[in-house]
Amino acid sequence: MLETGTKAPDFELPDQDGQMHKLSEYRGKKVILYFYPKDNTPGCTKQACGYSERMPQFMEKGAVILGISKDSVASHKKFVEKYGLAFTLLADPERKVIEAYDVWKEKKNYGKVAMGVVRTTYLIDEEGTIVKANDKVKAADDPKKMLGEI
């Protein structure tokens, strides 16, 4: 996990519609950048729907929400359409951004050890600096918690 006070690494990734997004394009706005393991899984769905439901409050506070996983553009498109998500999901199948933000880690699941995305949320300020970093994310609570952090 990257430390608070550090510059958030810039990146360019495609969204669920194949349009490219750069983090630097969001300068002047707060950015909730959250990394999650997989589209259409119970925890990830709760987290995504929670952010989507609170989108008007995030917008009132001048914040943008970007979700990143290693799923494909096509997978993100289905996920967004299935749940009517109101924010941008970015596809990082090569894990370039996932690794740049230090969220690709060894995980234990039912005694098995495997590499995967550790659910992590960053709050990036208007100048592109990480002001909050959380890798102890409870999927269902994260959207409400981050709304309170802004």
Side-chain angles (χ1 to χ4, degrees):
M1 181 175 72
L2 300 179
E3 297 296 315
T4 57
T6 58
K7 265 293 192 227
D10 198 13
F11 59 79
E12 186 173 26
L13 289 174
D15 68 11
Q16 65 270 13
D17 297 316
Q19 293 182 312
M20 298 304 285
H21 292 256
K22 284 185 181 175
L23 181 62
S24 54
E25 292 169 357
Y26 295 98
R27 286 280 151 78
K29 294 183 179 215
K30 295 178 184 94
V31 177
I32 303 286
L33 183 65
Y34 84 94
F35 293 86
Y36 65 99
K38 191 151 181 54
D39 290 344
N40 286 303
T41 55
C44 297
T45 300
K46 280 185 189 135
Q47 188 178 21
C49 289
Y51 273 118
S52 196
E53 288 163 14
R54 292 170 177 82
M55 195 64 194
Q57 293 103 301
F58 280 106
M59 289 170 72
E60 279 172 24
K61 294 184 173 199
V64 174
I65 299 164
L66 300 173
I68 298 180
S69 79
K70 63 184 189 69
D71 292 304
S72 67
V73 168
S75 175
H76 282 345
K77 187 156 189 68
K78 287 179 191 156
F79 191 40
V80 166
E81 287 173 354
K82 184 174 181 179
Y83 294 100
L85 302 179
F87 62 94
T88 302
L89 295 180
L90 301 174
D92 188 16
E94 285 90 40
R95 300 192 320 255
K96 286 186 174 84
V97 178
I98 287 167
E99 290 181 20
Y101 279 80
D102 196 28
V103 298
W104 185 253
K105 304 271 188 190
E106 198 173 85
K107 295 166 65 171
K108 285 185 181 144
N109 196 8
Y110 301 110
K112 281 186 171 175
V113 177
M115 295 298 288
V117 173
V118 174
R119 194 181 305 278
T120 306
T121 304
Y122 292 101
L123 173 58
I124 301 167
D125 72 10
E126 294 86 345
E127 284 80 52
T129 302
I130 296 170
V131 292
K132 292 276 177 195
N134 181 15
D135 65 353
K136 305 276 189 277
V137 175
K138 287 187 171 49
D141 300 337
D142 189 47
K144 183 179 178 188
K145 182 179 180 196
M146 291 312 293
L147 189 58
E149 296 283 356
I150 298 177

